[in-house]
Amino acid sequence: MGIINKLAVAGRCGLLLLGSFGLWACDGLPVPVEFPSATVEVSSLPPCVDDDCNCRDFRDQALAQAVFDAFPDDPFVLDRDGNGVPCESLPAVSPGLDPTVPPSQNPHLLLGNPSNATADNPNNLLIERPQYALSYNRDRGIANWASWQLSADWLGSVERQDDFRQDGGLPAGVYQVTPNDYQGSGFDRGHIVPSGDRTRSEQDNSATFLMTNIQPQSPQNNRGLWRELEEYTRDLVYQLDYRLVVIAGGYGELDDLANGRITIPSRLWKIVAVLDHSNPGEVRLDSAYPILAIDVPNQDTPSTDWQTYRTTVDRIELATGYDFFAQLPVPLQEELESSLGRPIAP
Ligand code: MN
Ligand code: MN
């Protein structure tokens, strides 16, 4: 295992041929000015090592230890007392994934159910609506993830309904977060499934304002980088007529709100996969079809360009413990998950 050299992925550009027209695309990432040297490939480490890790970003001590061991100088200051054991207050190891669930027919779960959520598991509670599917976490007061299809059929001209409201459909005993729970927190009510992705009908748009689809999001992030990523994703549909599956969520614990009822995630992530035009049941991965995986701190980031935070699905799996694309054949799953993909400017 060699020292990783980020320059190796920078600045590859090429002409992509899409149907009858071509466009220039670069798969280079902006190269950080200073990047700590790791003793193992960063591809085997969680995405936070690309910017800044904190103990709150790790789901268990074992993962913090892996990062600490890879960076002997401890640039992220994970081992404050210098005893060689970082992030000692974290659980030693996290529980494994919940038991596998049968493949779903829900179009929003076409690529799988990343945490094996079910309708009777309070911290991995599957909620299925016509507009999206998500896994809700009772103890965190936010979703673990949401998954939704995005294509021209979902986009219309309906105005933003702005009807943030508690989700009355939650089972008894699960606290219903209210819009007021976020008041005065300094955090935005950030959509996971964006309002702008559901503009075909008032009912569709309104479904995105249920508080189970909302997470506390840094205002700068929500209104800047994240919004641009959402707009880029819709542009893939508006301008290239792509059919997409988007999966997004947050992990880690920056802080909490509403007397501990709502966790503010420390990192936000999003995965965008492109479906085959002629066979929308299949994912495309070739030079013309990008896979995007983004993992970004939930704060006002030094770079407001979302491309700075591109990573692989494999590394988001490592950070979250989920298994994405489980419904795809293993060779395709592996290829998609290890790919940095390439940004395409619509
Ligand atoms: Mn937003
Ligand atoms: Mn997977």
Side-chain angles (χ1 to χ4, degrees), residues 148-182:
W148 64 103
Q149 287 216 20
L150 180 59
S151 56
D153 342 329
W154 289 101
L155 300 174
S157 54
V158 161
E159 278 184 41
R160 187 182 161 95
Q161 299 298 299
D162 251 328
D163 51 348
F164 289 101
R165 64 201 184 282
Q166 60 198 81
D167 188 343
L170 286 170
V174 177
Y175 175 71
Q176 296 178 12
V177 171
T178 76
N180 288 342
D181 284 335
Y182 283 56

Side-chain angles (χ1 to χ4, degrees), residues 129-147:
R129 301 190 211 286
Q131 297 83 8
Y132 53 83
L134 63 77
S135 160
Y136 191 70
N137 190 308
R138 176 193 60 190
D139 292 351
R140 284 167 67 86
I142 52 174
N144 297 310
W145 52 264
S147 184

Side-chain angles (χ1 to χ4, degrees), residues 60-223:
D60 55 38
Q61 199 277 333
L63 195 54
Q65 190 73 49
V67 169
F68 177 75
D69 291 345
F71 293 88
D73 299 337
D74 196 17
F76 308 122
V77 200
L78 302 177
D79 180 23
R80 289 184 185 277
D81 60 7
N83 70 347
V85 186
C87 307
E88 281 149 289
S89 60
L90 292 175
V93 288
S94 26
L97 265 183
D98 284 323
T100 308
V101 294
S104 172
Q105 299 305 309
N106 186 325
H108 301 302
L109 296 175
L110 182 70
L111 302 185
N113 172 337
S115 59
N116 298 325
T118 54
D120 56 3
N121 186 344
N123 289 318
N124 189 13
L125 184 70
L126 183 63
I127 298 178
E128 297 180 87
R129 301 190 211 286
Q131 297 83 8
Y132 53 83
L134 63 77
S135 160
Y136 191 70
N137 190 308
R138 176 193 60 190
D139 292 351
R140 284 167 67 86
I142 52 174
N144 297 310
W145 52 264
S147 184
W148 64 103
Q149 287 216 20
L150 180 59
S151 56
D153 342 329
W154 289 101
L155 300 174
S157 54
V158 161
E159 278 184 41
R160 187 182 161 95
Q161 299 298 299
D162 251 328
D163 51 348
F164 289 101
R165 64 201 184 282
Q166 60 198 81
D167 188 343
L170 286 170
V174 177
Y175 175 71
Q176 296 178 12
V177 171
T178 76
N180 288 342
D181 284 335
Y182 283 56
Q183 222 153 42
S185 70
F187 282 79
D188 278 3
R189 293 173 297 197
H191 282 74
I192 304 178
V193 183
S195 160
D197 281 11
R198 291 293 180 261
T199 52
R200 177 176 62 183
S201 69
E202 289 182 3
Q203 193 182 6
D204 281 357
N205 187 260
S206 185
T208 69
F209 287 88
L210 288 163
M211 292 304 291
T212 41
N213 179 47
I214 300 297
Q215 61 186 349
Q217 192 170 2
S218 137
Q220 296 88 350
N221 183 297
N222 181 35
R223 302 169 197 179

Side-chain angles (χ1 to χ4, degrees), residues 237-284:
V237 178
Y238 281 124
Q239 299 187 28
L240 299 170
D241 197 30
Y242 280 179
R243 302 180 68 92
L244 309 171
V245 175
V246 189
I247 316 168
Y251 64 88
E253 184 169 3
L254 189 59
D255 204 345
D256 54 50
L257 303 180
N259 301 315
R261 282 174 162 153
I262 304 170
T263 297
I264 304 171
S266 64
R267 309 276 308 186
L268 309 173
W269 55 270
K270 179 171 281 187
I271 295 166
V272 181
V274 182
L275 300 179
D276 194 313
H277 269 268
S278 50
N279 180 4
E282 283 185 15
V283 175
R284 285 293 298 264

Side-chain angles (χ1 to χ4, degrees), residues 313-314 317 322-326 333-334 337:
V313 174
D314 274 337
E317 288 189 339
Y322 303 147
D323 181 10
F324 300 103
F325 303 158
Q333 195 179 152
E334 286 174 357
E337 291 178 356

